[in-house]
Amino acid sequence: MTDPQVNSVDVSNHDDGDGPWWKDREVLLPVLSGIAFLTGLLCEWSGAGIPALALFWSGLLLGASTFTPGAIRALLKGKLGISLLMTISAVGAVILGYVEEAAALAFLYSIAEALEDKAMDRARGGLRALLKLVPDTASVSIDGTWTPIAARELTAGQVMLVRAGERIATDGIVRSGHSSLDTSAITGESIPVEVEPGDAVSAGAINNAGTLEVEATAAGTDNSLTTIVELVEQAQAEKGDRARLADRIARPLVPGVLILATLVALIGSIFGDPELWITRALVVLVAASPCALAISVPITVVAAIGSASKFGVVIKSGAIFERFGGIRHVALDKTGTLTRNEPTVTAVLTANAVESEVVAWAAALEQHSTHPLAAAITAAAPEAPKATEVMELAGQGIQGVVGEAVITVGSPRWLASGALAERVEELETQGMTVVIVHHEHEPVGAIGVRDELRPEVPEVIRTLSGRGTGITMLTGDNLRTAQALANQAGISDVRAALRPEDKAAAVSELSRTAPVAMIGDGINDAPALAAADIGIAMGATGSDAAIESADVAFTGHDLRLLPAAFDHARRGRRIMNQNIVLSLLIIVVLLPLALSGMLGLAAVVLVHEVAEVVVIANGMRAARTRRRAAAQGAYSLVREDLRKSTTTGGQA
């Protein structure tokens, strides 16, 4: 039986930002500004002065319309930013009769801002689609009769009937019945959880087999899934206040420049020629204009983000890219991030039977099961015999007849392990989920299934550790399984049995000592991804919630992208810092020269334009890592294809 709501998160909700650029006002206006400015230059060079002036005014107004209104609105709220200083500089240039220079400033700043905005990843699903994981209705006991009611009307204390294939409408405790639950939407773990009376269950979990009676412990509108939504929205709101580096520099720079220009005009007018000193104040204002600063960061970001996307790393904004280069600690989810999220048979124990027979008997039955472990077992014995009289033992296992023998397969919680008990416990200590195989009601074997570590993980962990990056594993799985896998990976800091809110709390704790990146791919990771300084969603097939909550998305699953992405971001950050220092030095040098009258407006504008060319050229160096990283990404893809072809017998 299948659950009609399993695929409730709709990928089509994404706004991928791939519409035509001419329909996007944020891009169209700067482009038109540039066209008007360049056409004006051509007219000026050809001697058509009046058309050139008209085109310069058009370019100025088009470019300024993208940032001046916002600068004025921010000013009315008491916020001073780089857009305000660019606006004032353009106005000052116009007052002095330099419309062409003002148009150049407006065009360069508007196109730089537009390019940075368009470099953002628009793949954001609707976070509230998470709530669709809760069914619309639930069957509750009313006067001894099972009656369907709206899930949102559930209250704590009511008893729900959850049939096989249905989702649990809210958090609760099992009162009767045995089953296994698919909790991957909540915990991210691909291996089901066996439940019995007294066990706690979460909203959104799928009942795989049997029928459960669950007493609600939370209202239908206040459960673990609604908590995830609230945590993510809260974390995103807090992180949204972090300004870009250029804006942080502009905060003291803007009022300082305005005060300086005002003082020059006032003091100069008192002790000298008012016209001379007001003009000089305007030149000082233009000299202090952070033209190079305004475009140096965006151009570097555009170059770096564009090249990163070529090797499978999608970064959502410039502010995120700036923070990315400062990460000093990495928290990793286990399932689907460190592991393949593809459970496979990794061990077989036997007692009075042949190993191949044990696997074949189990596979014969599991061919008839929808249990997630069944796929792993049937894959291990593709030539399994046919089974008859197969029936599921709700919450315990599956039984049937193979040949003339009764075969039973199930959890060690329900089937006796016999002489294999000690070895079964050892497999569980190694992080495996074990199923017992009975032949004619006698234990003859045990099969260990585990979600294997990705082969590149130990290498990646060594690389990150060698660079001084702290590493922590966060997982909803039990400590024994988590510790076994962490030992293979080389991770010493392990935090297990975590719910989504626990992961978010752990990330917040880690971020108090160093900037933290959280890496995950599931709904359960969404709060932690949002709470981290940088959230990284693994794989294009990760959940919409993870992609929306994250700041960075890897289009593949090869973790070797991680150190490559860090290298790329740190190099880009160094280039940004170089551009910022150069931009500020230009302002520091130009200010006294403009103040003393040694440089007029034309010379000041010329220096600014030369500086802009220099920082643009330097910023474009951020794209030079593309070939090396892209080659690494291509190698990873080829390697993954080879692995898949090997496991499928070489068939494409």
Side-chain angles (χ1 to χ4, degrees):
M1 184 180 295
T2 59
D3 179 11
Q5 300 190 53
V6 168
N7 296 317
S8 61
V9 179
D10 185 5
V11 179
S12 66
N13 288 337
H14 287 324
D15 175 15
D16 57 12
D18 290 334
W21 65 266
W22 59 85
K23 292 184 178 181
D24 189 338
R25 183 178 182 275
E26 294 180 1
V27 176
L28 181 60
L29 290 179
V31 169
L32 292 177
S33 171
I35 292 173
F37 173 68
L38 294 175
T39 308
L41 288 178
L42 292 175
C43 290
E44 185 180 52
W45 292 336
S46 64
I50 294 178
L53 182 61
L55 286 167
F56 288 144
W57 270 107
S58 298
L60 169 60
L61 295 175
L62 285 168
S65 68
T66 66
F67 59 85
T68 297
I72 295 173
R73 286 193 297 270
L75 178 62
L76 295 176
K77 296 178 182 179
K79 297 180 180 179
L80 303 178
I82 200 167
S83 297
L84 177 63
L85 197 53
M86 293 299 294
T87 299
I88 296 173
S89 298
V91 171
V94 169
I95 292 174
L96 293 175
Y98 292 90
V99 179
E100 177 183 341
E101 285 76 6
L105 294 179
F107 161 60
L108 289 172
Y109 184 62
S110 64
I111 196 66
E113 290 291 290
L115 286 174
E116 183 177 2
D117 289 342
K118 292 300 108 181
M120 294 174 62
D121 171 41
R122 303 270 177 159
R124 297 186 178 101
L127 178 62
R128 290 196 172 273
L130 290 181
L131 301 181
K132 294 181 181 178
L133 293 174
V134 175
D136 294 330
T137 62
S139 295
V140 299
S141 179
I142 300 178
D143 298 328
T145 302
W146 295 113
T147 305
I149 66 169
R152 64 179 177 275
E153 297 176 2
L154 280 168
T155 58
Q158 287 185 307
V159 177
M160 302 176 288
L161 182 69
V162 186
R163 301 176 182 87
E166 294 182 344
R167 287 188 183 271
I168 298 173
T170 191
D171 302 335
I173 296 176
V174 177
R175 291 306 180 203
S176 70
H178 297 79
S179 186
S180 65
L181 300 182
D182 178 358
T183 62
S184 57
I186 312 303
T187 66
E189 300 306 319
S190 56
I191 296 177
V193 176
E194 307 290 341
V195 294
E196 60 182 352
D199 289 341
V201 294
S202 299
I206 304 173
N207 181 16
N208 285 328
T211 300
L212 297 175
E213 291 185 15
V214 178
E215 180 182 340
T217 57
T221 56
D222 184 19
N223 52 54
S224 52
L225 284 177
T226 60
T227 299
I228 290 176
V229 173
E230 292 168 1
L231 286 169
V232 172
E233 290 180 338
Q234 178 183 352
Q236 287 180 329
E238 292 172 354
K239 194 155 57 177
D241 293 334
R242 300 174 186 171
R244 297 179 313 166
L245 183 58
D247 288 332
R248 293 199 299 272
I249 294 173
R251 283 173 186 164
L253 180 64
V254 171
V257 168
L258 293 176
I259 292 171
L260 176 61
T262 302
L263 290 175
V264 169
L266 288 176
I267 297 174
S269 297
I270 294 172
F271 297 101
D273 181 4
E275 182 179 352
L276 171 66
W277 285 100
I278 290 174
T279 301
R280 190 166 294 181
L282 291 174
V283 175
V284 166
L285 194 61
V286 175
S289 172
C291 305
L293 177 64
I295 66 171
S296 63
V297 172
I299 201 68
T300 307
V301 165
V302 170
I305 289 179
S307 61
S309 67
K310 300 296 184 183
F311 62 91
V313 179
V314 182
I315 302 170
K316 290 186 177 180
S317 76
I320 289 167
F321 181 78
E322 292 173 25
R323 294 201 304 271
F324 198 13
I327 295 301
R328 293 296 176 265
H329 198 106
V330 177
L332 300 108
D333 173 52
K334 180 179 76 67
T335 305
T337 302
L338 292 174
T339 68
R340 294 174 174 171
N341 203 16
E342 299 172 359
T344 55
V345 172
T346 53
V348 180
L349 306 178
T350 60
N352 302 320
V354 178
E355 182 176 309
S356 59
E357 287 182 330
V358 170
V359 178
W361 289 335
L365 268 61
E366 296 291 8
Q367 289 174 352
H368 301 269
S369 174
T370 58
H371 195 288
L373 293 183
I377 294 174
T378 54
E383 303 297 329
K386 292 184 178 180
T388 59
E389 302 178 31
V390 178
M391 61 179 178
E392 295 238 14
L393 306 176
Q396 300 180 37
I398 189 170
Q399 182 174 292
V401 176
V402 179
E404 297 181 355
V406 176
I407 304 296
T408 310
V409 179
S411 166
R413 296 179 64 179
W414 316 120
L415 294 181
S417 304
L420 299 172
E422 186 175 332
R423 296 164 68 193
V424 165
E425 185 175 344
E426 182 180 343
L427 291 184
E428 291 180 328
T429 303
Q430 295 173 16
M432 299 185 200
T433 298
V434 180
V435 295
I436 303 298
V437 180
H438 278 202
H439 180 275
E440 291 292 344
H441 308 294
E442 292 293 330
V444 294
I447 301 175
V449 178
R450 182 169 58 192
D451 190 6
E452 288 292 273
L453 193 72
R454 294 184 185 278
E456 74 275 10
V457 168
E459 171 194 342
V460 171
I461 299 302
R462 285 194 300 270
T463 300
L464 293 176
S465 298
R467 297 176 183 176
T469 303
I471 301 170
T472 299
M473 178 198 288
L474 305 178
T475 178
D477 210 344
N478 64 77
L479 180 59
R480 184 168 59 183
T481 300
Q483 191 63 61
L485 189 132
N487 290 340
Q488 295 180 51
I491 301 173
S492 57
D493 185 9
V494 180
R495 308 188 187 191
L498 302 178
R499 295 178 65 84
E501 55 267 34
D502 299 327
K503 288 186 177 182
V507 167
S508 297
E509 176 191 335
L510 292 170
S511 64
R512 294 190 191 107
T513 56
V516 174
M518 169 67 192
I519 308 174
D521 70 341
I523 291 172
N524 63 302
D525 301 318
L529 290 169
D533 295 280
I534 293 292
I536 302 174
M538 282 290 293
T541 57
S543 77
D544 285 11
I547 292 172
E548 180 186 0
S549 305
D551 305 300
V552 177
F554 287 175
T555 57
H557 286 88
D558 194 320
L559 271 177
R560 281 171 295 189
L561 281 175
L562 187 58
F566 281 150
D567 287 345
H568 186 64
R570 286 165 184 165
R571 184 171 185 271
R573 193 178 187 184
R574 287 195 299 271
I575 292 173
M576 279 191 290
N577 290 338
Q578 292 167 5
N579 278 347
I580 288 169
V581 170
L582 175 61
S583 302
L584 294 178
L585 282 175
I586 290 171
I587 294 174
V588 170
V589 171
L590 285 181
L591 272 178
L593 295 177
L595 186 60
S596 64
M598 294 179 65
L599 289 181
L601 182 62
V604 166
V605 171
L606 178 61
V607 172
H608 273 308
E609 290 180 351
V610 171
E612 288 162 8
V613 172
V614 172
V615 298
I616 288 173
N618 191 43
M620 293 303 294
R621 292 194 305 115
R624 290 185 183 175
T625 57
R626 179 180 64 82
R627 291 184 179 179
R628 180 179 62 189
Q632 181 174 356
Y635 170 77
S636 300
L637 291 174
V638 170
R639 192 172 184 273
E640 181 68 11
D641 287 341
L642 288 173
R643 184 188 69 80
K644 289 182 177 178
S645 64
T646 302
T647 57
T648 56
Q651 297 180 357

